[in-house]
Amino acid sequence: MRVLGVLDGGDLPLELLSAWAASAELVIAADGAADRLLKSGVAPNIVIGDLDGFSGAPGPYEVVADHDGNSTDCDKLLRWVRQQGHTNLTLTGVEGDLLDHIVATLSSCVSYRRNVRLALRRGVGWVFSGAVTMRSAPGARVSLLPLCSCAGVRLSGVQWPLDGAQLDVGGHVSISNKASGEMVSARMNTGAAFLFVEYPRHEMPFWD
């Protein structure tokens, strides 16, 4: 099932948010993100959070209140997705203009312990452990950034590949690399990282 989780970052243009939501089979809004979705012309299926940022506008959706003060709205959304057994999750509304929220979201995705795809303004990314492969186009910008210490890192399908590298926060990273073919693959023995591949607007959304 194509599951789209929407956070309340006001980064994605409304028409692109609407396109992602319309192409999903299940749309889950974290708290105030429900209002942004409604503004884009799409109603979520589920609204979840402590509901302090949601207007409460009536609509054809289920509201799940979660007042755990020790977790963010992103945590609450990810926890619900895991409890429901969904595995194909794309998360959007993650960029916004608050750096602390962006870092917290990446941390939540690492804690989720499953690969999470991120639909961004200028492309698509993965927060992942183990391995991930993304389609690309020659020359597309590619970045691989560690979110903790990563050992045995391999990055292929790019102009400057990695093979058995060590990536660390505050240490070696791979940023603004370039795709050399139609697929980019990353894998690691241990750790968690963020892989980003740039795509033109007309190629999004996509779920393959």
Side-chain angles (χ1 to χ4, degrees), residues 4-22 27-44 46-47 53-57 61 91-97 119-121 201:
L4 182 71
V6 184
L7 304 182
D8 200 17
D11 52 282
L12 210 66
L14 287 179
E15 65 273 15
L16 184 54
L17 175 60
S18 176
W20 274 108
V27 180
I28 311 158
D31 209 331
D35 292 322
R36 183 164 171 79
L37 266 171
L38 292 170
K39 187 176 180 180
S40 79
V42 179
I46 306 287
V47 181
F54 175 44
S55 68
Y61 37 76
L91 201 60
T92 194
V94 304
E95 294 173 273
D97 60 354
L120 306 170
R121 284 173 291 185
R201 167 64 184 88

Side-chain angles (χ1 to χ4, degrees), residues 48-68:
I48 188 166
D50 56 18
L51 307 180
D52 63 345
F54 175 44
S55 68
Y61 37 76
E62 177 185 353
V63 176
V64 179
D66 185 336
H67 297 292
D68 178 6

